[in-house]
Amino acid sequence: MPTAAAFAKASGWLARAAEAATWDGTVGIQSTQGRQPKEGHDGDGPATLAEVAAYNEFGTSTIPKRSFLRLTQDRQRGAWKANTVRAIRKYVADDGDAARLWSLLVMEPAREDVRETITRPASENGYKELSQPYADRKARTNVRNAGDPEQMTLRDTGQLLNSIRYVAKAGSRTVTG
């Protein structure tokens, strides 16, 4: 027959599991970085990094879609789920620092996955050929191989890559990185 100590221990596990269910986090361009002007912004076109990221993620009539957030999520969904389960199990068993576990085991790897997608050659990300209006515009601005999908990487200045951050919330703590 289970003892009162066993019930107390199980009750503690359940309480920590319930707390873990409230953990939250985001990976991408956070509001502070997103409001910053894009490097070299000349007043024409998107004014903020968030706008540039959205144009690349979803495309426009002249900018081809170069998804980096949704593509990473599709590729890494299984790994992210496994990391989340590992963080929750570790927290429930050890009663460790929830915010630290969440950020180290889930959010930091997710941030690095997004950054890795950004640095991959376009052909590895499955990007299609440049749209003709975009290729024509690139050719007019004297960019070599404007129709080459390899030119479709998101690494022109590194500002987007370096702006990928996470916010991890666990309990009353928030960790950013």
Side-chain angles (χ1 to χ4, degrees), residues 10-21:
S11 177
W13 288 340
L14 289 173
R16 286 191 297 278
E19 181 187 334

Side-chain angles (χ1 to χ4, degrees), residues 1-158:
M1 175 154 233
T3 65
F7 278 118
K9 189 173 186 175
S11 177
W13 288 340
L14 289 173
R16 286 191 297 278
E19 181 187 334
T22 68
W23 294 354
D24 191 19
T26 59
V27 175
I29 297 174
Q30 305 301 325
S31 62
T32 53
Q33 288 84 25
R35 289 190 301 261
Q36 295 176 3
K38 181 184 179 298
E39 278 180 20
H41 177 63
D42 59 4
D44 185 29
T48 68
L49 194 53
E51 290 173 317
V52 171
Y55 293 166
N56 281 294
E57 182 70 23
F58 301 106
T60 70
S61 62
T62 58
I63 299 173
K65 177 176 77 171
R66 294 174 286 193
S67 174
F68 58 98
L69 295 172
R70 292 174 298 152
L71 180 63
T72 306
Q73 181 182 14
D74 289 347
R75 284 185 177 152
Q76 299 298 334
R77 181 168 304 177
W80 293 354
K81 180 179 178 182
N83 289 348
T84 300
V85 168
R86 189 168 56 128
I88 292 170
R89 283 184 178 157
K90 190 166 182 58
Y91 177 66
V92 168
D94 299 336
D95 194 23
D97 179 350
R100 186 169 187 275
L101 284 170
W102 184 235
S103 62
L104 288 175
L105 296 178
V106 179
M107 303 309 293
E108 284 186 17
R111 178 193 62 200
E112 294 311 309
D113 290 339
V114 172
R115 288 179 174 174
E116 192 269 333
T117 297
I118 290 171
T119 59
R120 275 186 182 176
S123 59
E124 290 181 25
N125 284 333
Y127 299 146
K128 294 185 174 142
E129 293 288 331
L130 292 169
S131 66
Q132 197 55 49
Y134 184 77
D136 291 345
R137 190 176 82 218
K138 284 300 219 186
R140 284 194 306 273
T141 58
N142 205 15
V143 173
R144 288 187 214 135
N145 302 319
D148 182 356
E150 292 304 311
Q151 299 296 316
M152 295 177 61
T153 61
L154 298 170
R155 296 176 283 161
D156 63 337
T157 68

